[in-house]
Amino acid sequence: AEWQDQADAIEVWNGFWTRDDRLATDQWDSMLKAGRRLRAVGGTDYHRGEDALLPASLVYADALSTPAILNGMRRGRILLSEDTRGAKVLLTPISRNGGASKSKALPGDILPAPGDGEPVHLDAHITGGNGLFLRVVWATGETVYPVTGADTTLRILLPFPPKAKPLVYVRAELLRGSDKPAEAMMVALTNPLYFSR
């Protein structure tokens, strides 16, 4: 569709999580797989009551100002959570020897791809996630991990696709109630980190 070619962002989560939100998230993921660099946002059309702030769109910004927040949104530095105080997940690249990466990467950033045959090394930093499932989705696959601590870090190695497209992504979701996305409630999701050759 023409709007898909012109859009910079897509609202994947509106109000309380429903089947329509899963369909929107899956459509967004299909566009990412096709090579689009498209930001995911969340919001609500309801302006009073408990769900007026659901979901929370959390933006990494250089300052607490309208221009800085809009710049963070343009860069894709957005995490979505079911609540302003709800669970959160952040993917951070790590070096091959297991140490912290020199890069302070945030969602939306483009990082150098690993060498041929090398995996992508990431830490998933999870806050408030005990009993949830972490779903990590990338250009050619996905995997799900149970989360057994409230505040924990999971080390993740992802196979980098051979003969990959110029831009490859990885993103994360926190799910409640099931490790199957179609049956689960979304608790939090990240915008992608990208890897470029």
Side-chain angles (χ1 to χ4, degrees):
E2 186 176 320
W3 72 266
Q4 291 176 348
D5 296 332
Q6 297 176 3
D8 294 318
I10 180 173
E11 185 179 72
V12 299
W13 189 350
N14 184 283
F16 291 109
W17 184 258
T18 67
R19 182 177 179 274
D20 287 343
D21 299 311
R22 172 46 66 194
L23 293 173
T25 302
D26 291 346
Q27 182 180 23
W28 168 58
D29 196 70
S30 294
M31 290 185 273
L32 294 173
K33 283 180 175 34
R36 290 293 312 278
R37 190 168 177 229
L38 195 62
R39 294 114 186 115
V41 296
T44 183
D45 297 327
Y46 189 67
H47 300 282
R48 61 187 178 279
E50 284 188 14
D51 72 342
L53 298 176
L54 304 177
S57 293
L58 308 166
V59 180
Y60 287 93
D62 295 330
L64 189 56
S65 69
T66 300
I69 292 168
L70 290 173
N71 184 51
M73 293 179 76
R74 278 186 207 97
R75 295 175 72 183
R77 292 185 162 180
I78 307 165
L79 301 176
L80 302 179
S81 180
E82 67 181 349
D83 186 279
T84 56
R85 295 184 184 100
K88 296 167 188 65
V89 58
L90 180 65
L91 297 176
T92 304
I94 57 174
S95 65
R96 285 179 295 197
N97 63 11
S101 172
K102 291 178 183 175
S103 169
K104 298 286 186 191
L106 290 169
D109 286 352
I110 300 175
L111 305 168
D116 286 337
E118 293 183 17
V120 173
H121 298 248
L122 299 168
D123 276 346
H125 304 281
I126 301 163
T127 305
N130 194 33
L132 302 178
F133 296 95
L134 173 69
R135 178 182 184 224
V136 180
V137 182
W138 64 97
T140 58
E142 66 179 72
T143 191
V144 178
Y145 306 87
V147 180
T148 57
D151 299 327
T152 189
T153 299
L154 299 176
R155 178 78 30 107
I156 299 167
L157 299 179
L158 301 179
F160 196 84
K163 300 180 183 174
K165 294 181 180 182
L167 196 64
V168 173
Y169 75 96
V170 59
R171 63 180 190 83
E173 300 177 356
L174 283 176
L175 306 173
R176 178 185 293 119
S178 176
D179 60 353
K180 296 174 179 55
E183 300 171 9
M185 295 295 292
M186 183 72 73
V187 177
L189 67 84
T190 70
N191 267 274
L193 281 172
Y194 297 93
F195 295 87
S196 178
R197 291 227 185 256

